[in-house]
Structures are given as C-alpha cells and as structure tokens.
Amino acid sequence: MADHGITLRELDERPVTDLNGVGEAGARSLAAVEVRSVLDLLGYYPRRYLDRSREATVDQLALGEEGMVLVRVEAVASRRTRNGRSLVEVRVADDTGGLRLTFFNQPWRLKQLTEGREAVVFGKVDSFRGDLQMTNPVVDLVGDRTGRIVAVYPQSETAGIQSWHVDGFVGEALRRVGKVRGLSDPVPVGVLDRYRMVGRSDAYRSIHRPESMQEMVEARRRLVFDELLRIQLALVQRKRDLERTSVGIVHDTATTILMEKFRAGLGFPFTDAQDRVVAQILEDLARPAPMHRLLQGDVGSGKTVVAVSALLAAVQGGYQGALMAPTAVLAEQHHLGVAEMLDGITVDDPDTLLEQRPLKVELLTNRTTTTERRRIGTELVAGGIDVLIGTHALIQEGVRFRSLGMVVVDEQHRFGVEQRAALREKNDDGTVPDVLVMTATPIPRTAAMTVYGDLDVSVLDEMPPGRNPIATSWHEDDSDVWPVIRDEVEAGRQAYVVCPLIEESENLEVRSAEEAFTSLSDGELTGLRVGLLHGRVGRSEKEKTMRLFRSGDLDVLVATTVIEVGVDVPNATVMVVLDAARFGIAQLHQLRGRVGRGEHASRCLLVGKAPTPESEERLRALVRTTDGFELAEVDLDLRGEGTIMGERQKGRNDLRLASLRRDREWVEAAREEALHLVGSGGGLADHPELADEVTLFLGEDESGYLLKS
Ligand code: ADP
Ligand code: MG
C-alpha cells in the first residue's frame, strides 16, 4: 500500500490492446485463450522453460534421452500420413551433425521453420532409418533474446497463439509495468519475510523472464502462495461471517437421556474416536453459532451412530432432526437402520395421556406418494415427527419443519454450497440449524482445507474392533475368482460381483450387468442363488432382492455400483469387481467397504487388465493398503486436484499455478496466514487491497462475505 504501485485490479482494467504490438488480430487470438486484460496476459504462465545452459551439440545427443540443441533449418517438407494426419518433416543441423524433426498435426511448422532459420529444439531423441530424430519437439526460435532461460508458453493452433507471440506481448507488458511504478504488493511485509518470499513485481517478471531456474522457482512459489492465500481468505472469511451473522440454536446438551438409551440399546460400546467426535459435536451444539462440521470417516468407521447421537441431542431439547442421503435407495436404507436403532425410545409429549410417545422417524423421498407426503408435511409442522430421513430434496422442496435443530448430510461430496445455503431459511424464527456433513471419501488434509475450508473438520480415524482386514488381490484373469466365491458360499458366506462401470451409458451398464448375471448363473456360479441389482430395477424388485440378500436367501448379488455406499450385510465376505481398472480409487475403496463388516475374514478381488500405467498403480495401491487416507493421497498424486476441487474449479477461481498436490505446505501456510489476516472480528478491513483481489479472482459470490462486516 505504501508503495503506490499498480494494483492487479488496475491491470485487469487495461485491455491487451493498450500494449504496443498487440493489434486486432493479436487481441482476437488472445481472447480465444481467455486473455483479455493485461492481468490475464501476465497470468498466462509459461508451460515450461528451456534452460539454454544445458544446450548440447548434435553429436552429443544420446538416443532415448532428452536433449537440447541450437540448429539451423536446412530443408522442410510436409505431407499427409496414410490416416490423413498432417506431417511436417524438417531437416536441421549444426556444425557437428544433422537431425530430423517430425511434427504431427502441426501444419503451421511449415511456415515457421523456413530454410535458414535458427531454432533451439528440445525433445527426446530417437532414431528413424538411421537418422537421429525428435518427434514433436519443443521449438524456440532464436530471436533477439539473449536470456539463458527461455519461457515456452502454451500454444493453441486454433487460436493462432504461438509461444513467441505471447513472449513478445508479455515482454511489452512487463516493460510498461516496470517503467511506471512497479506492482503494488498488498501482502504484508511480515508475511513475505516469514516465508522469504520475493516481492510481487519480481515474481511476475521472473515467472516470465527468469535469469535462472532458481529465480523461476522463487517466483512460482510467491505466485502460488498468492493464489492459495486468496482462496483461504475467502473461506476463512466466509466461515467467520456465517458464525457472526447467523443465529444458531443453543442446544441443551446437559441432558442426555435419549442418547444414553440409544447407546445402551446398541450392543456395542462406541470407539474412542466416536466418543471424541460426539464430544466435539456436543460442544458445537451448545454454542450459539450454528455448527458447520465435516465428519470424515472411512467406510465402516461407524459414522451413522455418531449422526444419530447428534440428531438425538437436538430431539432431546424438543427440536427436530433431518438426515439426508444422496439417493433415494440410501435414504431408504438409512431409514430402515435408524428406525430400528431408535425403536423403543420415547420422547416427552405433554399432549398425550402418558406425556410420552415413541420417537418418530419418517422417510421422505421422491418416491413418497402424494398422500403420504401431505401427511408427513402436516406432522412435521405440528412437531409429531422427530427425525426426517430423505434425499437432498428435503431441504430444497418446500418442506416445513416446526423447529429444525440438526441436519446431517451423508456423503458430502454430492452436496453443494447452495444446498447448504438453503438450510439457512429453514426455520421461521430465523434460526439456522446445526449442520454435520459426513463423507466416506477421505480427502487429504490440505485438500480438505481448500475444498471444505469453511467447515470444521472431525475425523473418525479408528475402526470398530473385531474388523478383519480385507485381503485384496488383483487378478488379470477371472478364472481364479469364481472358485473363491463357491468356497465362501459353501462355508455359509455371501458375495458381491460388481459389473464394469460404463460411465457413458446407463443402458450399456445395465445390459452388461444383465449379461454377467445370465452367464454367471448358467456358468461359473451355476447352482448358487444369484440375484441382480442395477439402476433400472424397479423399487419393489430392488427391495425384494436386498431383503433376500440380507436374510441370506441369495448367495451372490450381481450388481452395478448401486451398491457402492450404504449396503450393510455383515455375512457378505467376498467382493469381486469386474474390469476394476475402469473404477477410480475412491470408488473401489467404497466397494471394498461393503465386505469386512462382520466377524468373518473377507476378501476383495479386483479383476481385469490394467490398460494404463496409472490404472495399474491404482490397483496396486488398493492391494497394498486399506487405509482410506493413504489411498486419498495416492489418488491426489495420480489424478491431481481437478476432481477434488470439483465445483469450485470453474472460472476464475481456478488454481493456475498452485497444485494441492505439489504445494501442500503452502496450503497450510496460506491457511494460517489467512486466519491471522482475517482475525476474529473486523475481517479484511485493514487489508482493503487484498479483499479487493479476492473479489477480482474469486468473483462476487465469495467476496460478498469479505465485504460484509
Ligand atoms: P459408515 O461410517 O461406513 O457409515 P456405519 O455407520 O454404517 O459405517 O457402520 C458400519 C458398521 O459398524 C455397522 O454395522 C455399525 O452397526 C457397526 N458399528 C458402528 N460403530 C461400532 C462400534 N463402536 N463397535 C462395533 N460396531 C460398530
Ligand atoms: Mg454410512
């Protein structure tokens, strides 16, 4: 602030056409890659760098290794391959020898690499008919630049964007910024010093024009930190703001009769982890600010009884509770399970003769009939229903409660921010119910900080006792698998066979499940009682099949991923996943969690070839460990953060440089600094420029929270 430099906001208000050299055509090309302002341009970061100090001569190139050489174009030709792809072949050389460059689908190379031009090329060296060759190398035309490190920008043929164009434009932008006042740096000096961060002007210059690779790394570190800090500022501020502006319910957590009765009826003691999490929840419930807590717990860690405890704490004080699941099937299962656990428990009711009535649990989904729905609606408003179980539709449709005190959302990853917002309008007196969201998809700590940074997080990191670890094996061929099922069924156990996931088409998936069912029933599993379950099976049929499987009247359940979550049959000990490479780590882990739920040793058999090295690593990780958090880390390493960020990845709030994977430590640092900067009261009032940057990058929605104070 003291330096009066140019703000990012000001850069964003400058169109690229203000720069010398960016004509109309240039602006059009840039617009095609979403670069419109000077800020966009400076945020169009290089894809990679060529370190000219590592330049070799052609005779030093080694087959099978990457190399970089400065060469002259001797001849260039283009043709089409047999399957119609464009192929440009360029003959280049330096004083020590010749090299052949082959470019597929880059017809413009013909015009770029004209005879006599000099270029630095970088790529893996192979040989073709005795010649040294590079296929689709990185090319940097040697212009008037002298730097040893050359930035290579993302190119786009359709947009007509080539690296050296961008380089020229960026150079002009940097020159103009430097000439005037440099960039303003709103991050407090104390913070920068703590992490030995370079200033913002230097960071932007060095990410584009580094003098050394070290300088580039420093620049990247600073810009990564800025990205992560903006996100954390938004999240922390949102959390503080919710706490400050919403009127929650102060639950009376001193009386615990209902919870005690519930626990006494369970037949098992809570694990230490369950006790700890329930205590955290009760502490939240006793506070006036509404709870916003995420409960992470691996499959089978016993989240349901924690959820029921929370619901009972609310019911105890005369409030109602809601439990929401992502699908109707799951809601139905929760309803069955929870109603059974709460059977025989009574609540006070002065309107009845004995001033007591049974605690009432109801189910409401899109399959509930209109008359039922009407009845439930009336009873909800009258307060005759204590716990309502249903899908997420519960909070969106005009369902009114008398006094909703506690909401549990199962499987958070399908539950969005807007849905959470809808909860704020649920009580007529303006109070906001407490919210517990549960996920069985463990995500790494730093990712949780980013994706769920506006929630408090509890972790169930302990499995109920007596669980047998699930032995997992991978079989390229399915022939070993069927005898395992037969043996287990012989021993009185049951098995699941999950059919290949076909994401593109439910029809195909259903058909493949039907085919598997028929061929297994008539073939490998003949003589066993086999049932079929998939997304197109009607409700009553589905219920019947599940009932038969639960009661042990079916030996094997052939199914699609409809059984992914919530199915709980302790006698099932074998999980076979066909074509397992098609599934993601999290999904396989969920499926595996369907077994190992009882006293018997269980197995999970992953079947099929792994078509890619990545899918092979996935399968190997599952064989290696059953720890969901460890798998989540592997998943993050393999897939990057894209899938985790989900919703929030759209538009400008995209992380450009930062990676939740590589930059874990910076996520933590940014979180810590954001907590300091936002403080406990006044928000970012002392840091208006930072607040404005959050708006600029993350949009009005996020910043709404920042500016309100
Ligand atoms: P998830 O966290 O996957 O939702 P559930 O809540 O469905 O797990 O619990 C899995 C199984 O473990 C259920 O059969 C449940 O009754 C049982 N369970 C939960 N807590 C305990 C405990 N403390 N001791 C023994 N069994 C438990
Ligand atoms: Mg569950």
Side-chain angles (χ1 to χ4, degrees):
M1 271 165 285
D3 56 10
H4 299 293
I6 304 172
T7 62
L8 299 189
R9 169 74 68 185
E10 287 172 302
L11 288 184
D12 192 54
E13 284 161 358
R14 284 304 193 100
V16 283
T17 44
D18 282 6
L19 298 171
N20 285 335
V22 182
E24 276 207 13
R28 243 194 330 269
S29 294
L30 288 171
V33 290
E34 304 295 327
V35 172
R36 295 187 175 80
S37 70
V38 174
L39 178 65
D40 297 334
L41 181 62
L42 290 181
Y44 194 77
Y45 298 121
R47 187 166 57 87
R48 65 183 306 162
Y49 300 85
L50 297 181
D51 183 351
R52 298 278 300 272
S53 66
R54 288 174 43 216
E55 225 166 84
T57 49
V58 171
D59 62 346
Q60 292 169 326
L61 291 176
L63 272 181
E65 278 169 33
E66 290 190 328
M68 188 188 316
V69 284
L70 170 64
V71 290
R72 213 171 37 253
V73 176
E74 295 191 326
V76 57
S78 91
R79 61 188 174 85
R80 299 225 154 250
T81 63
R82 237 171 294 146
N83 50 25
R85 293 205 294 168
S86 111
L87 177 66
V88 175
E89 289 166 311
V90 187
R91 183 83 226 155
V92 297
D94 67 5
D95 295 338
T96 67
L99 173 71
R100 165 198 168 96
L101 309 179
T102 308
F103 298 94
F104 288 99
N105 283 335
Q106 301 177 30
W108 46 275
R109 294 288 186 190
L110 192 63
K111 282 188 230 126
Q112 181 199 34
L113 297 170
T114 50
E115 205 184 309
R117 276 217 91 136
E118 286 203 308
V120 174
V121 296
F122 171 82
K124 191 164 164 185
V125 182
D126 54 40
S127 82
F128 180 76
R129 294 192 184 136
D131 285 347
L132 288 180
Q133 167 179 270
M134 286 184 190
T135 305
N136 292 341
V138 175
V139 175
D140 183 55
L141 293 189
V142 178
D144 45 6
R145 267 176 306 134
T146 49
R148 284 194 308 120
I149 311 284
V150 177
V152 180
Y153 291 91
Q155 320 208 70
S156 158
E157 205 202 334
T158 40
I161 291 281
Q162 278 150 36
S163 183
W164 73 93
H165 288 144
V166 180
D167 191 84
F169 300 155
V170 166
E172 177 63 9
L174 289 172
R175 194 183 63 79
R176 290 275 289 275
V177 168
K179 204 165 171 181
V180 204
R181 316 167 252 161
L183 292 176
S184 164
D185 197 336
V187 177
V189 175
V191 176
L192 296 182
D193 284 351
R194 188 147 44 243
Y195 304 102
R196 298 177 200 287
M197 297 269 184
V198 299
R200 185 174 271 174
S201 290
D202 288 344
Y204 274 104
R205 189 184 44 74
S206 303
I207 196 82
H208 292 288
R209 296 288 169 92
E211 296 281 330
S212 65
M213 290 310 258
Q214 182 57 30
E215 207 181 85
M216 182 280 288
V217 169
E218 298 283 326
R220 180 181 178 281
R221 199 157 68 88
R222 167 63 205 270
L223 295 168
V224 160
F225 181 75
D226 283 7
E227 285 181 3
L228 295 170
L229 181 64
R230 285 189 288 259
I231 290 184
Q232 291 302 333
L233 284 172
L235 291 167
V236 168
Q237 185 67 25
R238 188 207 322 250
K239 185 167 182 297
R240 287 282 144 76
D241 198 66
L242 273 172
E243 286 165 4
R244 203 173 41 238
T245 60
S246 29
V247 185
I249 297 163
V250 180
H251 294 271
D252 170 16
T253 52
T255 321
T256 53
I257 302 167
L258 290 181
M259 238 188 292
E260 279 158 27
K261 277 190 195 157
F262 162 64
R263 290 174 67 143
L266 275 179
F268 54 74
F270 274 23
T271 61
D272 290 345
Q274 284 169 326
D275 276 332
R276 191 188 63 232
V277 173
V278 169
Q280 287 167 345
I281 292 171
L282 291 182
E283 217 169 281
D284 284 357
L285 291 183
R287 269 203 284 265
M291 170 170 78
H292 263 93
R293 187 169 283 280
L294 175 74
L295 172 56
Q296 288 201 62
D298 215 337
V299 196
S301 60
K303 292 185 292 297
T304 315
V305 295
V306 171
V308 172
S309 302
L311 293 168
L312 288 178
V315 172
Q316 182 83 63
Y319 291 95
Q320 294 162 301
L323 171 58
M324 302 189 292
T327 66
V329 176
L330 282 173
E332 284 155 20
Q333 276 169 17
H334 267 315
H335 177 242
L336 277 177
V338 172
E340 197 180 307
M341 285 189 235
L342 297 180
D343 193 31
I345 295 185
T346 55
V347 294
D348 293 340
D349 186 350
D351 294 342
T352 59
L353 186 60
L354 300 173
E355 303 202 337
Q356 289 267 308
R357 62 167 175 78
L359 188 151
K360 193 158 191 185
V361 184
E362 290 276 1
L363 174 71
L364 182 66
T365 69
N366 56 358
R367 303 181 185 176
T368 308
T369 61
T370 318
T371 17
E372 266 288 284
R373 188 173 286 266
R374 212 169 285 138
R375 175 187 64 78
I376 290 174
T378 315
E379 281 189 49
L380 267 181
V381 173
I385 293 173
D386 303 295
V387 174
L388 184 64
I389 298 181
T391 52
H392 298 160
L394 268 194
I395 51 153
Q396 279 160 327
E397 293 168 3
V399 181
R400 311 285 330 157
F401 291 79
R402 197 196 56 188
S403 55
L404 182 59
M406 176 75 221
V407 176
V408 179
V409 186
D410 202 2
E411 304 307 326
Q412 147 79 16
H413 55 293
R414 302 186 209 177
F415 187 72
V417 176
E418 317 80 58
Q419 287 156 312
R420 257 187 270 156
L423 286 173
R424 307 190 74 187
E425 289 140 30
K426 269 300 161 195
N427 283 327
D428 291 339
D429 64 357
T431 55
V432 179
D434 292 280
V435 179
L436 178 69
V437 287
M438 309 196 294
T439 173
T441 313
I443 61 173
R445 207 176 116 73
T446 53
M449 272 181 194
T450 310
V451 185
Y452 304 126
D454 51 347
L455 302 171
D456 293 304
V457 178
S458 293
V459 182
L460 274 185
D461 49 8
E462 179 188 352
M463 285 289 173
R467 291 291 157 77
N468 289 301
I470 305 160
T472 305
S473 49
W474 171 27
H475 310 257
E476 293 211 341
D477 186 275
D478 70 353
S479 56
D480 303 343
V481 164
W482 314 116
V484 173
I485 292 189
R486 289 188 155 279
D487 288 350
E488 284 290 304
V489 170
E490 180 82 5
R493 306 283 84 78
Q494 293 163 283
Y496 300 98
V497 177
V498 174
C499 298
L501 173 74
I502 304 176
E503 261 173 2
E504 310 80 55
S505 155
E506 193 185 356
N507 276 333
L508 281 180
E509 188 167 287
V510 165
R511 182 139 30 98
S512 104
E514 280 165 348
E515 281 167 13
F517 170 73
T518 316
S519 81
L520 289 172
S521 311
D522 297 344
E524 288 90 347
L525 300 181
T526 179
L528 306 189
R529 298 164 301 171
V530 183
L532 173 66
L533 209 60
H534 57 62
R536 293 283 160 84
V537 173
R539 179 187 179 180
S540 58
E541 181 71 20
K542 206 177 269 173
E543 278 172 1
K544 188 174 147 216
T545 306
M546 274 318 299
R547 204 166 47 239
L548 290 175
F549 191 67
R550 228 178 265 124
S551 63
D553 292 307
L554 284 175
D555 301 314
V556 180
L557 193 57
V558 174
T560 56
T561 48
V562 293
I563 61 154
E564 187 180 334
V565 273
V567 174
D568 188 7
V569 179
N571 191 48
T573 55
V574 185
M575 167 60 67
V576 171
V577 184
L578 299 177
D579 221 345
R582 282 178 180 260
F583 297 84
I585 283 189
Q587 229 174 352
L588 289 171
H589 182 59
Q590 291 288 337
L591 288 168
R592 177 166 60 182
R594 297 307 107 209
V595 296
R597 307 195 132 227
E599 57 200 292
H600 309 286
S602 294
R603 295 190 58 176
C604 172
L605 300 102
L606 306 172
V607 180
K609 292 209 178 357
T612 62
E614 199 199 297
S615 56
E616 177 168 342
E617 261 192 73
R618 281 205 301 267
L619 297 179
R620 291 202 186 287
L622 278 142
V623 170
R624 187 173 66 237
T625 180
T626 51
D627 179 336
F629 282 92
E630 191 180 331
L631 289 170
E633 295 282 348
V634 174
D635 207 17
L636 186 58
D637 280 337
L638 286 176
R639 288 198 303 175
E641 55 279 354
T643 43
I644 288 178
M645 290 296 281
E647 290 268 291
R648 295 197 178 169
Q649 241 206 346
K650 282 185 216 130
R652 264 222 142 135
N653 58 11
D654 213 340
L655 294 174
R656 280 170 180 261
L657 276 183
S659 143
L660 298 182
R661 181 166 39 108
R662 269 178 307 169
D663 302 314
R664 280 172 193 158
E665 59 179 313
W666 296 113
V667 176
E668 309 225 9
R671 176 83 178 174
E672 197 168 306
E673 295 305 332
L675 285 167
H676 280 159
L677 287 167
V678 172
S680 50
L684 280 179
D686 294 341
H687 305 279
E689 196 183 329
L690 270 181
D692 185 52
E693 279 182 18
V694 175
T695 317
L696 181 62
F697 282 87
L698 301 177
E700 292 298 330
D701 284 356
E702 294 286 342
S703 63
Y705 295 99
L706 291 174
L707 301 179
K708 253 188 275 165
S709 66

